Amino acid sequence: MAMARYLVSAFAFAASIRALECSTSGTTTITASSDATALASCSTYSGSVAIETGLSTPKDSNGHQQLEVDNIIKISGNLTVTNLDVLTELAFPALEYVDALELASLNTLATLSMPRLTTVNELNFTALASLQQLNFGQTGITKASSVLITNTGLTSLDGISNLKSVDIFNVNNNQALTDITLRVTSIKNSLDIEANDILASGLTVSFPLLETALNMTFRNCSVILLPSLANVTDELGFYGNDFLNFTAPNLTTAGGLVFVDNTELTNISLPALTSINATYQIANNTKLSKIDGFQGLSTVTGALDFSGNFTEVELPALKQVKGAFNLQTSGDFDCAKFDKIASSKAVIRGKYTCKGSQSDPSSADSTSTSTGSSASKTAAAAHFELNTPIIMGGSSLVVGLLQFFL
């Protein structure tokens, strides 16, 4: 009995030592192969793990390093791998869950293997020029709240295509990226896609199951497919894309709707859209000659702001524009039908401008007068805050380019 009690106590002591080794309130830094081996003794690790400058694992004949951490299944903390100039391969073959996964400034990393990883709260990949694909297994990551992928060599996002929902999704400045396909049904905060495919032949973006989103911004895309999208709470914005047409057959409401500087766009079709609850802007889409894909639109709570070289605008169901109405085009356009609507003051509540055959058609934020089809009427034009999304998007473009050249 004494021996039995001794063995039980010994086992309990050993278990407590193991628990202590597999839990920390701080960050454990892996600097050598022995550190990785020690971490691999834990199936679950409570705390954060960092692998960074100073890693002294053996190098191959080319001077490159490879690191594999076996056995660990769950990290209840952050896994951060940064600033390793010669690390070419990184593997966590058993890892299924990590709170946050950050890989940054790993210029030679070409192989990332985490074949069992399915859940990560935050995914942050920055400056991974040699990484062309994600090896997250057959299923891939299905749960993530925040995704940032910038300045990588990825050609697709196959390892995260089965995400069910995401709060923040930002993919920018990935020069070889040609396809973004996600099976998400909702975007709870924001989606930003911009400045990808700079060196390739065209970026296709497809969200076949997406139904609701808070805020979405697309830039520099060649194809955008949103067949199931029904509602965007804040803004749905398209800036500087080269897609030929855009259709969202199930979209019924949007906070704001913006199409600006899409130079190849010839057609927009949103047949189910009935209301826009902020700015409705279509500007400087040089090949868009007709705006006739909004047959069901009845209410614009903010401003309506059209400028370009179009010759036809059809809004047959329009019943209310609570903000200003600005329509200016270099094309041969007859304002008579909108003059008639504006004269009653029942439909258009704000300042009214309609001008055809203009040498320099202006959007609302650059318009200084409010007129009907006759240029003799003048008044102060309303000002609309349309630049914020452009500035925000542009900042990530600048940051990504700086990372690439540095």
Side-chain angles (χ1 to χ4, degrees), residues 283-284 305-310 326-331 355-364 366-367:
N284 199 31
D305 183 16
F306 292 174
S307 60
N309 58 357
F310 47 84
N326 178 70
L327 190 157
Q328 298 189 41
T329 177
S330 60
K355 298 178 181 180
S357 302
Q358 298 296 296
S359 60
D360 186 19
S362 301
S363 60
S366 60
T367 302

PDB file of all heavy atoms in Angstrom, residues 283-284 305-310 326-331 355-364 366-367:
ATOM      1  N   ALA A 283     -19.881  56.841 -61.036  1.00  0.00           N
ATOM      2  CA  ALA A 283     -19.057  57.936 -61.549  1.00  0.00           C
ATOM      3  C   ALA A 283     -17.843  57.416 -62.308  1.00  0.00           C
ATOM      4  O   ALA A 283     -17.162  56.479 -61.868  1.00  0.00           O
ATOM      5  CB  ALA A 283     -18.584  58.826 -60.390  1.00  0.00           C
ATOM      6  N   ASN A 284     -17.597  58.041 -63.459  1.00  0.00           N
ATOM      7  CA  ASN A 284     -16.374  57.837 -64.232  1.00  0.00           C
ATOM      8  C   ASN A 284     -16.164  56.380 -64.638  1.00  0.00           C
ATOM      9  O   ASN A 284     -15.052  55.871 -64.594  1.00  0.00           O
ATOM     10  CB  ASN A 284     -15.158  58.353 -63.450  1.00  0.00           C
ATOM     11  CG  ASN A 284     -13.953  58.589 -64.342  1.00  0.00           C
ATOM     12  OD1 ASN A 284     -14.097  58.922 -65.519  1.00  0.00           O
ATOM     13  ND2 ASN A 284     -12.771  58.406 -63.789  1.00  0.00           N
ATOM     14  N   ASP A 305     -25.984  60.285 -57.118  1.00  0.00           N
ATOM     15  CA  ASP A 305     -24.875  61.025 -57.723  1.00  0.00           C
ATOM     16  C   ASP A 305     -24.333  60.251 -58.918  1.00  0.00           C
ATOM     17  O   ASP A 305     -23.570  59.301 -58.761  1.00  0.00           O
ATOM     18  CB  ASP A 305     -23.786  61.223 -56.664  1.00  0.00           C
ATOM     19  CG  ASP A 305     -22.611  62.054 -57.172  1.00  0.00           C
ATOM     20  OD1 ASP A 305     -22.759  62.715 -58.214  1.00  0.00           O
ATOM     21  OD2 ASP A 305     -21.549  62.014 -56.520  1.00  0.00           O
ATOM     22  N   PHE A 306     -24.726  60.648 -60.137  1.00  0.00           N
ATOM     23  CA  PHE A 306     -24.295  59.995 -61.366  1.00  0.00           C
ATOM     24  C   PHE A 306     -23.460  60.981 -62.185  1.00  0.00           C
ATOM     25  O   PHE A 306     -23.895  62.112 -62.441  1.00  0.00           O
ATOM     26  CB  PHE A 306     -25.487  59.566 -62.227  1.00  0.00           C
ATOM     27  CG  PHE A 306     -26.337  58.455 -61.652  1.00  0.00           C
ATOM     28  CD1 PHE A 306     -27.509  58.086 -62.296  1.00  0.00           C
ATOM     29  CD2 PHE A 306     -25.985  57.785 -60.505  1.00  0.00           C
ATOM     30  CE1 PHE A 306     -28.310  57.062 -61.798  1.00  0.00           C
ATOM     31  CE2 PHE A 306     -26.771  56.761 -59.986  1.00  0.00           C
ATOM     32  CZ  PHE A 306     -27.944  56.406 -60.635  1.00  0.00           C
ATOM     33  N   SER A 307     -22.289  60.534 -62.631  1.00  0.00           N
ATOM     34  CA  SER A 307     -21.501  61.337 -63.566  1.00  0.00           C
ATOM     35  C   SER A 307     -20.706  60.404 -64.465  1.00  0.00           C
ATOM     36  O   SER A 307     -20.290  59.323 -64.052  1.00  0.00           O
ATOM     37  CB  SER A 307     -20.563  62.301 -62.825  1.00  0.00           C
ATOM     38  OG  SER A 307     -19.659  61.587 -61.990  1.00  0.00           O
ATOM     39  N   GLY A 308     -20.540  60.813 -65.729  1.00  0.00           N
ATOM     40  CA  GLY A 308     -19.823  59.983 -66.685  1.00  0.00           C
ATOM     41  C   GLY A 308     -20.134  60.410 -68.096  1.00  0.00           C
ATOM     42  O   GLY A 308     -20.321  61.597 -68.374  1.00  0.00           O
ATOM     43  N   ASN A 309     -20.216  59.418 -69.014  1.00  0.00           N
ATOM     44  CA  ASN A 309     -20.535  59.741 -70.405  1.00  0.00           C
ATOM     45  C   ASN A 309     -21.720  58.926 -70.912  1.00  0.00           C
ATOM     46  O   ASN A 309     -21.831  58.646 -72.101  1.00  0.00           O
ATOM     47  CB  ASN A 309     -19.310  59.531 -71.305  1.00  0.00           C
ATOM     48  CG  ASN A 309     -18.781  58.108 -71.242  1.00  0.00           C
ATOM     49  OD1 ASN A 309     -19.286  57.278 -70.483  1.00  0.00           O
ATOM     50  ND2 ASN A 309     -17.764  57.815 -72.038  1.00  0.00           N
ATOM     51  N   PHE A 310     -22.604  58.533 -70.018  1.00  0.00           N
ATOM     52  CA  PHE A 310     -23.786  57.748 -70.354  1.00  0.00           C
ATOM     53  C   PHE A 310     -24.804  58.601 -71.121  1.00  0.00           C
ATOM     54  O   PHE A 310     -24.825  59.835 -71.040  1.00  0.00           O
ATOM     55  CB  PHE A 310     -24.420  57.174 -69.084  1.00  0.00           C
ATOM     56  CG  PHE A 310     -24.579  58.173 -67.971  1.00  0.00           C
ATOM     57  CD1 PHE A 310     -25.670  59.030 -67.914  1.00  0.00           C
ATOM     58  CD2 PHE A 310     -23.610  58.278 -66.976  1.00  0.00           C
ATOM     59  CE1 PHE A 310     -25.810  59.958 -66.905  1.00  0.00           C
ATOM     60  CE2 PHE A 310     -23.737  59.215 -65.951  1.00  0.00           C
ATOM     61  CZ  PHE A 310     -24.838  60.055 -65.920  1.00  0.00           C
ATOM     62  N   ASN A 326     -27.803  64.508 -58.268  1.00  0.00           N
ATOM     63  CA  ASN A 326     -26.824  65.081 -59.189  1.00  0.00           C
ATOM     64  C   ASN A 326     -26.623  64.127 -60.353  1.00  0.00           C
ATOM     65  O   ASN A 326     -26.187  62.979 -60.167  1.00  0.00           O
ATOM     66  CB  ASN A 326     -25.483  65.322 -58.481  1.00  0.00           C
ATOM     67  CG  ASN A 326     -24.438  65.866 -59.442  1.00  0.00           C
ATOM     68  OD1 ASN A 326     -24.517  67.004 -59.906  1.00  0.00           O
ATOM     69  ND2 ASN A 326     -23.435  65.037 -59.742  1.00  0.00           N
ATOM     70  N   LEU A 327     -26.938  64.573 -61.555  1.00  0.00           N
ATOM     71  CA  LEU A 327     -26.743  63.774 -62.757  1.00  0.00           C
ATOM     72  C   LEU A 327     -26.055  64.645 -63.795  1.00  0.00           C
ATOM     73  O   LEU A 327     -26.625  65.641 -64.248  1.00  0.00           O
ATOM     74  CB  LEU A 327     -28.086  63.256 -63.281  1.00  0.00           C
ATOM     75  CG  LEU A 327     -28.071  62.211 -64.404  1.00  0.00           C
ATOM     76  CD1 LEU A 327     -29.361  61.407 -64.423  1.00  0.00           C
ATOM     77  CD2 LEU A 327     -27.834  62.851 -65.772  1.00  0.00           C
ATOM     78  N   GLN A 328     -24.823  64.289 -64.146  1.00  0.00           N
ATOM     79  CA  GLN A 328     -24.066  65.042 -65.140  1.00  0.00           C
ATOM     80  C   GLN A 328     -23.358  64.064 -66.068  1.00  0.00           C
ATOM     81  O   GLN A 328     -22.751  63.085 -65.611  1.00  0.00           O
ATOM     82  CB  GLN A 328     -23.028  65.954 -64.474  1.00  0.00           C
ATOM     83  CG  GLN A 328     -23.625  67.023 -63.570  1.00  0.00           C
ATOM     84  CD  GLN A 328     -22.590  68.023 -63.115  1.00  0.00           C
ATOM     85  OE1 GLN A 328     -21.734  68.458 -63.886  1.00  0.00           O
ATOM     86  NE2 GLN A 328     -22.667  68.404 -61.838  1.00  0.00           N
ATOM     87  N   THR A 329     -23.434  64.325 -67.357  1.00  0.00           N
ATOM     88  CA  THR A 329     -22.832  63.428 -68.327  1.00  0.00           C
ATOM     89  C   THR A 329     -22.318  64.202 -69.528  1.00  0.00           C
ATOM     90  O   THR A 329     -22.853  65.263 -69.891  1.00  0.00           O
ATOM     91  CB  THR A 329     -23.842  62.360 -68.797  1.00  0.00           C
ATOM     92  OG1 THR A 329     -23.227  61.543 -69.816  1.00  0.00           O
ATOM     93  CG2 THR A 329     -25.112  62.986 -69.355  1.00  0.00           C
ATOM     94  N   SER A 330     -21.275  63.656 -70.142  1.00  0.00           N
ATOM     95  CA  SER A 330     -20.777  64.240 -71.379  1.00  0.00           C
ATOM     96  C   SER A 330     -21.580  63.748 -72.583  1.00  0.00           C
ATOM     97  O   SER A 330     -21.444  64.276 -73.682  1.00  0.00           O
ATOM     98  CB  SER A 330     -19.293  63.881 -71.575  1.00  0.00           C
ATOM     99  OG  SER A 330     -19.127  62.466 -71.639  1.00  0.00           O
ATOM    100  N   GLY A 331     -22.414  62.732 -72.356  1.00  0.00           N
ATOM    101  CA  GLY A 331     -23.237  62.198 -73.425  1.00  0.00           C
ATOM    102  C   GLY A 331     -24.444  63.079 -73.730  1.00  0.00           C
ATOM    103  O   GLY A 331     -24.789  63.984 -72.963  1.00  0.00           O
ATOM    104  N   LYS A 355     -27.562  67.683 -66.017  1.00  0.00           N
ATOM    105  CA  LYS A 355     -26.900  68.336 -67.151  1.00  0.00           C
ATOM    106  C   LYS A 355     -26.412  67.296 -68.142  1.00  0.00           C
ATOM    107  O   LYS A 355     -25.736  66.329 -67.752  1.00  0.00           O
ATOM    108  CB  LYS A 355     -25.686  69.153 -66.686  1.00  0.00           C
ATOM    109  CG  LYS A 355     -25.980  70.296 -65.733  1.00  0.00           C
ATOM    110  CD  LYS A 355     -24.665  70.960 -65.329  1.00  0.00           C
ATOM    111  CE  LYS A 355     -24.886  72.099 -64.348  1.00  0.00           C
ATOM    112  NZ  LYS A 355     -23.602  72.735 -63.966  1.00  0.00           N
ATOM    113  N   GLY A 356     -26.725  67.478 -69.401  1.00  0.00           N
ATOM    114  CA  GLY A 356     -26.190  66.656 -70.466  1.00  0.00           C
ATOM    115  C   GLY A 356     -25.178  67.421 -71.288  1.00  0.00           C
ATOM    116  O   GLY A 356     -25.058  68.648 -71.185  1.00  0.00           O
ATOM    117  N   SER A 357     -24.410  66.676 -72.105  1.00  0.00           N
ATOM    118  CA  SER A 357     -23.422  67.260 -73.035  1.00  0.00           C
ATOM    119  C   SER A 357     -22.422  68.165 -72.322  1.00  0.00           C
ATOM    120  O   SER A 357     -22.062  69.234 -72.814  1.00  0.00           O
ATOM    121  CB  SER A 357     -24.144  68.036 -74.147  1.00  0.00           C
ATOM    122  OG  SER A 357     -25.037  67.183 -74.849  1.00  0.00           O
ATOM    123  N   GLN A 358     -21.946  67.724 -71.157  1.00  0.00           N
ATOM    124  CA  GLN A 358     -20.970  68.490 -70.394  1.00  0.00           C
ATOM    125  C   GLN A 358     -19.545  68.094 -70.779  1.00  0.00           C
ATOM    126  O   GLN A 358     -19.242  66.915 -70.945  1.00  0.00           O
ATOM    127  CB  GLN A 358     -21.168  68.252 -68.892  1.00  0.00           C
ATOM    128  CG  GLN A 358     -22.509  68.699 -68.357  1.00  0.00           C
ATOM    129  CD  GLN A 358     -22.683  70.199 -68.482  1.00  0.00           C
ATOM    130  OE1 GLN A 358     -21.951  70.972 -67.866  1.00  0.00           O
ATOM    131  NE2 GLN A 358     -23.660  70.610 -69.281  1.00  0.00           N
ATOM    132  N   SER A 359     -18.683  69.073 -70.922  1.00  0.00           N
ATOM    133  CA  SER A 359     -17.286  68.770 -71.255  1.00  0.00           C
ATOM    134  C   SER A 359     -16.552  68.160 -70.068  1.00  0.00           C
ATOM    135  O   SER A 359     -15.608  67.385 -70.233  1.00  0.00           O
ATOM    136  CB  SER A 359     -16.565  70.041 -71.710  1.00  0.00           C
ATOM    137  OG  SER A 359     -16.593  71.027 -70.681  1.00  0.00           O
ATOM    138  N   ASP A 360     -16.988  68.489 -68.870  1.00  0.00           N
ATOM    139  CA  ASP A 360     -16.344  67.970 -67.659  1.00  0.00           C
ATOM    140  C   ASP A 360     -17.408  67.655 -66.615  1.00  0.00           C
ATOM    141  O   ASP A 360     -17.597  68.396 -65.651  1.00  0.00           O
ATOM    142  CB  ASP A 360     -15.355  68.997 -67.113  1.00  0.00           C
ATOM    143  CG  ASP A 360     -14.554  68.459 -65.935  1.00  0.00           C
ATOM    144  OD1 ASP A 360     -14.491  67.227 -65.774  1.00  0.00           O
ATOM    145  OD2 ASP A 360     -13.995  69.279 -65.175  1.00  0.00           O
ATOM    146  N   PRO A 361     -18.135  66.547 -66.808  1.00  0.00           N
ATOM    147  CA  PRO A 361     -19.204  66.210 -65.853  1.00  0.00           C
ATOM    148  C   PRO A 361     -18.638  65.942 -64.463  1.00  0.00           C
ATOM    149  O   PRO A 361     -17.615  65.281 -64.321  1.00  0.00           O
ATOM    150  CB  PRO A 361     -19.821  64.941 -66.451  1.00  0.00           C
ATOM    151  CG  PRO A 361     -18.766  64.369 -67.339  1.00  0.00           C
ATOM    152  CD  PRO A 361     -17.997  65.534 -67.874  1.00  0.00           C
ATOM    153  N   SER A 362     -19.313  66.466 -63.450  1.00  0.00           N
ATOM    154  CA  SER A 362     -18.789  66.414 -62.084  1.00  0.00           C
ATOM    155  C   SER A 362     -19.670  65.581 -61.183  1.00  0.00           C
ATOM    156  O   SER A 362     -20.894  65.541 -61.330  1.00  0.00           O
ATOM    157  CB  SER A 362     -18.680  67.835 -61.506  1.00  0.00           C
ATOM    158  OG  SER A 362     -17.830  68.635 -62.288  1.00  0.00           O
ATOM    159  N   SER A 363     -19.039  64.940 -60.225  1.00  0.00           N
ATOM    160  CA  SER A 363     -19.784  64.256 -59.182  1.00  0.00           C
ATOM    161  C   SER A 363     -20.224  65.260 -58.132  1.00  0.00           C
ATOM    162  O   SER A 363     -19.809  66.423 -58.147  1.00  0.00           O
ATOM    163  CB  SER A 363     -18.936  63.155 -58.540  1.00  0.00           C
ATOM    164  OG  SER A 363     -17.768  63.701 -57.961  1.00  0.00           O
ATOM    165  N   ALA A 364     -21.061  64.839 -57.207  1.00  0.00           N
ATOM    166  CA  ALA A 364     -21.692  65.778 -56.268  1.00  0.00           C
ATOM    167  C   ALA A 364     -20.699  66.511 -55.397  1.00  0.00           C
ATOM    168  O   ALA A 364     -20.871  67.689 -55.096  1.00  0.00           O
ATOM    169  CB  ALA A 364     -22.693  65.028 -55.385  1.00  0.00           C
ATOM    170  N   SER A 366     -17.897  67.643 -56.113  1.00  0.00           N
ATOM    171  CA  SER A 366     -17.156  68.699 -56.803  1.00  0.00           C
ATOM    172  C   SER A 366     -18.077  69.671 -57.529  1.00  0.00           C
ATOM    173  O   SER A 366     -17.634  70.520 -58.277  1.00  0.00           O
ATOM    174  CB  SER A 366     -16.184  68.073 -57.824  1.00  0.00           C
ATOM    175  OG  SER A 366     -16.894  67.309 -58.780  1.00  0.00           O
ATOM    176  N   THR A 367     -19.412  69.519 -57.311  1.00  0.00           N
ATOM    177  CA  THR A 367     -20.384  70.387 -57.969  1.00  0.00           C
ATOM    178  C   THR A 367     -20.610  71.639 -57.130  1.00  0.00           C
ATOM    179  O   THR A 367     -20.868  71.564 -55.937  1.00  0.00           O
ATOM    180  CB  THR A 367     -21.729  69.651 -58.150  1.00  0.00           C
ATOM    181  OG1 THR A 367     -21.490  68.476 -58.914  1.00  0.00           O
ATOM    182  CG2 THR A 367     -22.732  70.519 -58.869  1.00  0.00           C
TER     183      THR A 367
END
